[in-house]
Amino acid sequence: MLNAEQRAIIKATVPLLETGGETLTTHFYKMMLSEYPEVRPLFNQAHQASGDQPRALANGVLMYARHIDQLEQLGGLVGQIINKHVALQILPEHYPIVGSCLLRAIEEVLGKEIATPEVIAAWAAAYGQLADILIGAEESLYKQKEEAAGGWRGTREFRLARREQESSEITSFYFAPVDGQPVLKAEPGQYIGLQLFIDGAEQRRNYSLSALCDGQEYRISVKREEGGKVSSYLHDELVVGDTLQLFPPAGDFTLAASDKPLVLISGGVGITPTLAMLEAALQTQRPVHFIHCARNGAVHAFRDWIDGLAERHPQLKRFYCYAEDDGAQKADAVGLLSQDLLGEWLPRERDVDAYFLGPKGFMAAVKRQLKGLGVPEQQSRYEFFGPAAALE
Ligand SMILES: Cc1cc2nc3c(=O)[nH]c(=O)nc-3n(C[C@H](O)[C@H](O)[C@H](O)COP(=O)(O)OP(=O)(O)OC[C@H]3O[C@@H](n4cnc5c(N)ncnc54)[C@H](O)[C@@H]3O)c2cc1C
Ligand code: HEM
């Protein structure tokens, strides 16, 4: 537990974190990833290069310092962090490494005049407290996943059962466990962790489950990223029969039980978790408006499948918007999704549950538009295919 003096020191550091948090976390990651090769495979190097992960960590530390007196007000942040950690198998033994590098980074970035022994001691206590909260919450999730039907802890070997091309750049991969036993039924919207060894180097990535889990296998649908290590490997190298290790499904961007009309809005490969949500929602009576934006018809995945569902389920209305008309398939609108267009495609009654995912700019626009159209903010949920970021 932190004493009152330590809490005051932490709060006094908030302005420094507001201005210099990213410098601090960038320095921290450089130091940790060069000195501790054992934690390197846990981190996606692209998120380091783009600065997205240092920014996400800086924001996490800042929010923690701001709420040091009322940790319960951290709200969804802890849930988001622990799910990400669990899906990448972050373990208690990793915490002292992060802790010692963070304290050294504070000292080196702020300088010994500001980072006095008292400041370092306060931050050491604060880090210890947060680490205990995260380790405890992560352990209960690991345990829950291990004990659930079809569940497991750590890695489990899966075989690629089949693969299907869904568009010019998205392919689905179906994974079945090598042990032939059932698998944990993920909630619609959750993602799994893949552990792969590519050219001798370990890589870990998360992928949303793009189909409702039947308890036998998992499906993911992956967009080929130009220069992307794992997506290129999956597209170009992984053949039916190959094996890889999966971590159990996790994630808190899940379809909450509700009778309200459901609005699913996606851009590009952000469609994946909304497919599992759509399947689940169609097992109930609730109306569903499925809105998908793609660059053009050639890259639009799952169109025939959604169209088929719409024919069989009158409760489903679907709308497609293409940034450009490539002549391949007709969309309901061409151009970028505007607030007016979204307004036409939403149910007239705005008391809806909305879930959206796509590129960051797209998500920022959708968030703003939903608010402008009167959808209550707490009923508008989203997730990132990478480190969380501000959507302003
Ligand atoms: C919760 C979650 C769910 C996700 N679900 C899906 C999904 O359903 N489908 C899907 O396709 N993706 C999904 N993703 C994204 C996925 O995890 C990968 O990030 C994505 O496939 C790219 O990985 P990669 O290894 O192919 O590319 P990376 O190797 O990570 O590279 C990504 C980009 O960064 C560039 N890059 C890499 N290293 C550097 C460097 N050092 N300097 C500069 N540039 C660099 C690459 O050229 C490339 O353009 C999800 C992510 C999360 C967090
Ligand atoms: C108190 C300690 C920690 C805090 C506050 C913290 C915070 C965070 C935050 C805010 C994110 C981003 C979450 C998101 O975007 O959804 C994250 C992701 C992550 N964390 Fe932690 N973390 C801590 C400890 C650790 C430890 C000990 C490790 C392992 C060495 C670790 C590894 C990771 C990884 C691998 C990711 C995903 C990175 C990526 O996508 O590139 N974290 N953490």
Side-chain angles (χ1 to χ4, degrees), residues 59-109:
N59 179 55
V61 173
L62 176 61
M63 297 306 277
Y64 174 60
R66 272 192 192 145
H67 295 98
I68 197 79
D69 284 333
Q70 323 102 330
L71 289 181
E72 65 288 350
Q73 287 188 14
L74 282 174
L77 184 64
V78 171
Q80 192 183 310
I81 296 175
I82 62 172
N83 275 285
K84 198 52 99 46
H85 281 176
V86 164
L88 291 165
Q89 293 289 299
I90 306 306
L91 299 173
E93 58 263 35
H94 296 133
Y95 279 84
I97 299 177
V98 166
S100 70
C101 291
L102 198 57
L103 294 180
R104 268 176 56 207
I106 292 176
E107 213 166 34
E108 288 173 19
V109 169

Side-chain angles (χ1 to χ4, degrees), residues 72-261:
E72 65 288 350
Q73 287 188 14
L74 282 174
L77 184 64
V78 171
Q80 192 183 310
I81 296 175
I82 62 172
N83 275 285
K84 198 52 99 46
H85 281 176
V86 164
L88 291 165
Q89 293 289 299
I90 306 306
L91 299 173
E93 58 263 35
H94 296 133
Y95 279 84
I97 299 177
V98 166
S100 70
C101 291
L102 198 57
L103 294 180
R104 268 176 56 207
I106 292 176
E107 213 166 34
E108 288 173 19
V109 169
L110 298 186
K112 283 197 192 302
E113 274 180 24
I114 298 175
T116 59
E118 291 73 30
V119 168
I120 293 297
W123 268 102
Y127 176 80
Q129 174 178 279
L130 182 55
D132 285 348
I133 294 172
L134 297 182
I135 291 171
E138 285 158 19
E139 172 53 27
S140 31
L141 262 187
Y142 285 130
K143 190 159 180 277
Q144 195 184 311
K145 288 173 194 308
E146 183 177 21
E147 291 174 355
W152 71 98
R153 185 187 277 258
T155 52
R156 181 167 168 192
E157 194 171 26
F158 280 70
R159 178 171 288 119
L160 179 67
R162 58 193 185 284
R163 43 182 290 167
E164 276 162 19
Q165 189 161 347
E166 309 287 3
S167 78
S168 61
E169 57 187 20
I170 297 179
T171 297
S172 287
F173 300 87
Y174 294 77
F175 296 114
V178 168
D179 59 26
Q181 296 300 306
V183 299
L184 181 64
K185 279 199 178 174
E187 285 182 60
Q190 287 193 310
Y191 50 87
I192 47 169
L194 270 65
Q195 183 195 43
L196 292 156
F197 294 86
I198 303 174
D199 300 330
E202 182 185 346
Q203 305 288 342
R204 295 185 188 193
R205 295 288 184 275
N206 296 132
Y207 289 98
S208 297
L209 297 170
S210 61
L212 205 54
C213 177
D214 61 0
Q216 303 302 316
E217 61 180 16
Y218 294 126
R219 183 179 81 177
I220 62 169
S221 305
V222 179
K223 177 186 170 196
R224 180 197 288 279
E225 284 282 342
E226 202 54 45
K229 279 200 185 75
V230 172
S231 62
S232 304
Y233 176 85
L234 293 172
H235 276 259
D236 299 337
E237 309 283 335
L238 197 75
V239 295
V240 171
D242 282 355
T243 58
L244 81 177
Q245 305 291 332
L246 296 188
F247 305 129
D252 57 359
F253 178 65
T254 52
L255 190 62
S258 163
D259 294 333
K260 294 187 202 304

Side-chain angles (χ1 to χ4, degrees), residues 305 307-315:
W305 184 75
D307 288 348
L309 286 178
E311 275 172 23
R312 296 196 300 282
H313 297 271
Q315 78 204 82

